[in-house]
Amino acid sequence: MRQVSGTSAHAVADQPAVRRRPAWLLSPYALPLHALRIAGACALPLIIWFSLGRVIRWGLLLLAATISHGEWYQARLVVVMFLFTLVVMASLVTTIGMLYILRGALMETQARRAAGEAHESLLNALNRTALVFCGIYLTWGFLAEDARDFMNIDLLRQPDRIFIDAFAGEESTVMRGLIGLDLIVSAVTMAVAWVVKTLFARRHEAGRGRFSGVIATCGELAFVLYGLNAVTTVLGARSDWVGSRVVVVAWQEWMEKARESIPGWKSVTDFIGEVWPYVVDALVLPLTWLTVGILVYGAYAEDTRTTIRGTPLERAAAPLERRTHALTRRALDRLTEGWTSRWIPLLHSLRLTMRGGAPLFGMFALCYVGLHIGGIYLERAGRYLLDTGEPYFWIFTSVPIEFVSELIVTTLSMCLIAATFDLAATRDRLARAQVSAGSAARDRSSPETSPLPS
């Protein structure tokens, strides 16, 4: 069976599945309608995937919050951190699964299969995307939402526990399950996680083991989480010492003098500080999720190597020559390494999307932001309609309201990502086919040259 490739359908001029589509469906301004079409075709499996993912996530968070109190406290926190790692893995599987089940409704997928491309399994897509998804998840702070949910669940389990411990003169462990791990225990578990992630990352790089990429991702997450505990403990113990050092004080004084003495410096920094969060929400986060979608479906310009071309990640793509789209452990190392690897994959995803037309990405970002703003108002409307005026009744209504709101926003967001990829990939493929057909026509129409008579 042939390996799945992002290039196998590019040489095909005009597939029947695409020819039957009206021409206006390929317009960037038809993106909302295309996303709704995909949502209607895959509504039931999307709802099932999201619901199962949320139930598993909530179950793991509740189990972690329950275990985080009692005797053998440090041993309990080790288990809590492992369960929290599984929470992130549940988010990974849910996201990749929701994107994966949309493949059959995409015009690009139909064209590739008509060209003879083999069907790719969910495990292959998950194994390919897990490492980079982990890097994006950790780099862009999506972990903070999971931590907030854990603390809220822990607090609501026993709302009065924190006050009882305070009146009894005891140190409360409520909402401290993710930060209470001892430094030595954190270091030991971090070392174990490093061994696991290194071992399975090498197996994944060598193409051995069906679940090696997923296990390597789990090890990477555990390594980061246990490491954060160790770093937080050290910084908490030395924050006063660091804050009183001469270099730190001098730097703070220099920055303050620069704000006062350099004309316009304060205005520029204040403006950037005000605008930057909106830039992240409106452009960076949509592009981040679009990057994940490109990795799930396969880059449509050449192959997955295109997404990382010209970056340190390109050195990690050598196994692509023998295993299509098999991003290796080194991809995650480069991705989580620093500023360059944090931004370059997003910039290259933007470059790939721009090949489908600049208006397409603008429409995608606009729809993404509008969808999430609409989700906020939908949640507010639900709270308003279910408000009975009874004290603390919101505790019972908040969960179903948030579930319905997140279900609608998340499923439509996944459909929007899939539709954006589909339009960009189809437009790029048809443009390449048109250029190839034009070149072939010119070659056929040009007269053959004959040698001059002597």
Side-chain angles (χ1 to χ4, degrees):
M1 182 177 293
R2 288 168 43 176
Q3 293 288 341
V4 178
S5 174
T7 61
S8 60
H10 293 161
V12 181
D14 192 10
Q15 297 301 330
V18 179
R19 188 181 297 117
R20 290 194 295 267
R21 304 288 183 185
W24 61 269
L25 276 181
L26 297 180
S27 171
Y29 305 104
L31 177 63
L33 182 61
H34 192 37
L36 290 176
R37 182 189 67 81
I38 295 174
C42 306
L44 182 59
L46 281 174
I47 294 173
I48 293 175
W49 265 98
F50 180 84
S51 302
L52 287 177
R54 276 292 187 249
V55 169
I56 293 174
R57 181 176 179 271
W58 285 338
L60 290 172
L61 287 174
L62 179 59
L63 179 60
T66 305
I67 293 177
S68 63
H69 308 284
E71 299 179 351
W72 297 88
Y73 184 60
Q74 291 299 319
R76 288 174 175 268
L77 294 189
V78 173
V79 179
V80 167
M81 199 62 62
F82 175 73
L83 292 175
F84 196 74
T85 302
L86 296 183
V87 169
V88 180
M89 294 298 297
S91 299
L92 161 68
V93 175
T94 302
T95 302
I96 304 307
M98 293 179 70
L99 289 172
Y100 176 82
I101 62 175
L102 300 176
R103 295 176 68 104
L106 303 185
M107 296 181 292
E108 179 68 11
T109 303
Q110 295 170 9
R112 292 181 180 183
R113 290 177 180 173
E117 188 176 86
H119 179 76
E120 184 184 30
S121 66
L122 173 60
L123 180 59
N124 288 339
L126 182 64
N127 217 29
R128 177 179 71 242
T129 314
L131 293 170
V132 179
F133 180 92
C134 172
I136 292 175
Y137 201 88
L138 296 174
T139 303
W140 286 105
F142 297 118
L143 198 65
E145 182 179 353
D146 296 328
R148 285 194 298 268
D149 290 343
F150 169 82
M151 290 188 293
N152 289 335
I153 290 177
D154 194 18
L155 178 62
L156 292 177
R157 280 183 62 257
Q158 296 177 308
D160 59 341
R161 185 65 189 178
I162 190 171
F163 301 104
I164 294 176
D165 292 339
F167 287 130
E170 300 177 356
E171 183 178 1
S172 179
T173 58
V174 177
M175 298 189 297
R176 296 185 57 84
L178 299 178
I179 59 175
L181 202 59
D182 184 74
L183 175 61
I184 297 178
V185 178
S186 297
V188 172
T189 50
M190 183 174 62
V192 174
W194 182 84
V195 172
V196 171
K197 78 178 183 105
T198 303
L199 176 62
F200 283 93
R202 290 178 178 176
R203 289 179 59 84
H204 178 58
E205 180 180 349
R208 298 195 302 269
R210 296 183 60 189
F211 300 94
S212 57
V214 177
I215 298 177
T217 303
C218 187
E220 176 70 22
L221 287 169
F223 175 76
V224 171
L225 293 175
Y226 289 119
L228 285 176
N229 264 281
V231 172
T232 303
T233 303
V234 172
L235 292 180
R238 300 184 180 181
S239 58
D240 295 335
W241 180 85
V242 173
S244 63
R245 295 303 89 192
V246 176
V247 175
V248 176
V249 174
W251 170 259
Q252 294 175 349
E253 292 179 352
W254 184 87
M255 290 296 296
E256 190 63 30
K257 290 180 180 179
R259 290 171 60 88
E260 296 175 357
S261 59
I262 299 178
W265 179 270
K266 184 177 184 300
S267 301
V268 171
T269 54
D270 291 344
F271 176 77
I272 293 176
E274 293 176 359
V275 173
W276 180 245
Y278 299 103
V279 174
V280 171
D281 291 339
L283 295 177
V284 175
L285 292 184
L287 188 59
T288 300
W289 290 117
L290 188 58
T291 302
V292 175
I294 289 175
L295 290 172
V296 171
Y297 298 128
Y300 49 83
E302 285 88 12
D303 51 23
T304 304
R305 185 187 293 274
T306 307
T307 308
I308 56 178
R309 178 162 295 165
T311 73
L313 289 172
E314 187 174 10
R315 286 176 291 176
L320 289 170
E321 302 299 331
R322 60 179 184 270
R323 290 189 65 195
T324 305
H325 298 315
L327 294 176
T328 64
R329 168 66 177 85
R330 290 192 298 273
L332 182 62
D333 291 338
R334 302 302 188 272
L335 186 63
T336 58
E337 188 170 66
W339 186 92
T340 301
S341 295
R342 184 187 193 194
W343 285 95
I344 291 300
L346 303 186
L347 295 178
H348 280 267
S349 295
L350 177 61
R351 177 170 63 89
L352 293 177
T353 306
M354 286 302 181
R355 293 190 177 184
L360 179 61
F361 177 73
M363 181 60 67
F364 167 69
L366 180 63
C367 293
Y368 182 90
V369 173
L371 184 60
H372 283 74
I373 293 176
I376 295 174
Y377 281 100
L378 178 63
E379 185 175 339
R380 290 182 180 179
R383 295 182 187 278
Y384 176 78
L385 294 174
L386 295 181
D387 185 17
T388 61
E390 295 292 333
Y392 304 107
F393 189 72
W394 60 269
I395 296 178
F396 302 98
T397 60
S398 61
V399 172
I401 291 174
E402 292 176 0
F403 176 83
V404 173
S405 176
E406 291 179 1
L407 169 65
I408 296 175
V409 173
T410 302
T411 52
L412 290 181
S413 296
M414 297 298 106
C415 295
L416 186 63
I417 292 171
T420 304
F421 166 84
D422 195 22
L423 288 181
T426 302
R427 288 164 62 89
D428 180 71
R429 176 173 48 80
L430 294 179
R432 288 171 177 270
Q434 186 175 5
V435 171
S436 300
S439 300
R442 286 193 300 269
D443 292 340
R444 289 193 300 268
S445 62
S446 61
E448 296 182 358
T449 59
S450 58
L452 293 176
S454 54

